[in-house]
Amino acid sequence: ARDLAEKAAQFRLSDQGQTLALLRQPDGTWRNASYYDLPASLTKLAGFIGQLVEAQPQRLVTTQPERLARLEFKDTRVELLDGAGQPLWSVTLGKSAETGGRFVRFGTENKGYLANLNAWLDADAKNWAEAQLLDLKPDTIAQMALSLPAGGELVVTRAKQDEAWTAAATPAGQRVKADKITSLLAALGTLRFSDTRARDDAEVATAQAHTRSVKLTTFDGKTVVIALGRKPEEKKLKAPANPPPAGNLALPGKLEAAKPAGQPLAPEMETIPAGPVFVAITHSDPAAPVNALMQRRAFQVAEYVYTSLPKDAAELFEPAPAPVAPPTLAAPGHAAPSPKP
């Protein structure tokens, strides 16, 4: 029943040896106890609970132990518990029925039912963490300061939400490209993580040495600094596939004979791909949840968030439209010239 779900202090899902536990907090939010105590996704939890509420037993299948065994009730279980960890409700899921639905057993009852339940059981704890790190609406941003790879930064501002973006560094005859700014704000304001690492992870430290930052200032004076970093692509000399044995002086002569006379062997290079992108976020409001979140883990985000940042200032400008000439007015007493056919 829905009211029973609303009383639960803990949600627990077990499947194929994995167990997920979400805990309700005093303020009504949920924490993912199985994944570094990060905030839980309320959308995912509400959706799954909704499927349980809507599902109904279709019929009693059996109460016979030998037949129950054939329904494959094992370790796949969904539980709602109270604050003391005692079960309020639980269901063990058996195999799927050939005609649709799934066999279920409530609590410790020796009864097997067929229910119209086709929920996807996802016991991967990471997938139940709230992935969205920021929730900044583009129309709340008054200024964006973007660091550039060549050094320095480009600052764009606007006095009001419905005014055009301007920049002191705008080249003559050009204007700030509004669509590009809107696209950047939309991507940065709704940043989501795809994975996490320990904050002292070696790959995280390398990424922090190659960061680009974006500072967003809202109309109410708050600032959010977003630092995105990744280990850059690297090219280095490729080690020979079959190096000559130590002490063998005859092989170099064979190599010399194999190449055209007078042409040295060109060194073979290999490309080591760039590393994953990690983000560090600092909010000017000390009470902002993202500040505490950044102290728990290092967060990996999608590559496009980093690669979509402008490589230079020119990407943020476009030609300004030519000014419209005012209409020519006829002198008093003279008719305006007729338009040409």
Side-chain angles (χ1 to χ4, degrees), residues 25-230:
Q25 305 303 296
D27 62 358
T29 60
W30 289 76
R31 290 278 172 178
N32 190 335
S34 301
Y35 195 73
Y36 307 105
D37 208 31
L38 297 183
S41 170
L42 296 183
T43 301
K44 190 175 179 72
L45 177 59
F48 189 82
I49 292 294
Q51 289 179 305
L52 296 179
V53 170
E54 293 171 4
Q56 298 292 328
Q58 303 300 295
R59 61 183 176 87
L60 174 64
V61 176
T62 185
T63 60
Q64 301 300 317
E66 63 276 7
R67 291 192 63 194
L68 284 172
R70 292 199 291 270
L71 300 183
E72 300 182 9
F73 293 118
K74 297 178 181 178
D75 66 341
T76 302
R77 184 177 297 108
V78 181
E79 300 169 279
L80 299 177
L81 302 96
D82 62 18
Q86 297 302 310
L88 294 173
W89 176 90
S90 69
V91 63
T92 303
L93 306 182
K95 65 181 181 179
S96 297
E98 294 180 359
T99 56
R102 193 150 186 175
F103 298 111
V104 302
R105 186 176 67 187
F106 295 100
T108 58
E109 293 182 345
N110 289 321
K111 297 179 180 179
Y113 294 87
L114 175 64
N116 59 342
L117 176 66
N118 294 291
W120 175 45
L121 299 180
D122 182 6
D124 188 338
K126 182 181 71 174
N127 296 339
W128 287 82
E130 176 52 67
Q132 187 165 330
L133 301 172
L134 283 175
D135 186 16
L136 289 173
K137 304 294 188 295
D139 58 8
T140 66
I141 306 301
Q143 178 176 292
M144 180 177 71
L146 173 69
S147 70
L148 299 173
E153 65 177 9
L154 179 69
V155 180
V156 296
T157 61
R158 58 181 175 180
K160 297 180 181 179
Q161 174 188 332
D162 56 354
E163 290 189 359
W165 291 95
T166 61
T170 304
Q174 295 197 319
R175 65 178 180 182
V176 175
K177 191 181 295 185
D179 290 348
K180 181 66 174 178
I181 300 298
T182 300
S183 176
L184 286 172
L185 292 179
L188 295 170
T190 57
L191 268 177
R192 301 175 65 87
F193 77 82
S194 57
D195 204 352
T196 70
R197 301 277 188 91
R199 297 179 65 215
D200 60 355
D201 184 275
E203 204 163 17
V204 173
T206 303
Q208 290 172 342
H210 303 277
T211 60
R212 294 189 61 186
S213 65
V214 183
K215 181 179 180 180
L216 303 177
T217 304
T218 63
F219 283 109
D220 59 1
K222 296 177 181 178
T223 60
V224 179
V225 178
I226 304 167
L228 296 157
R230 74 184 310 188

Side-chain angles (χ1 to χ4, degrees), residues 239-256:
N242 297 301
N248 188 335
L249 302 180
L251 287 178
K254 293 182 179 180
L255 290 176
E256 288 293 326

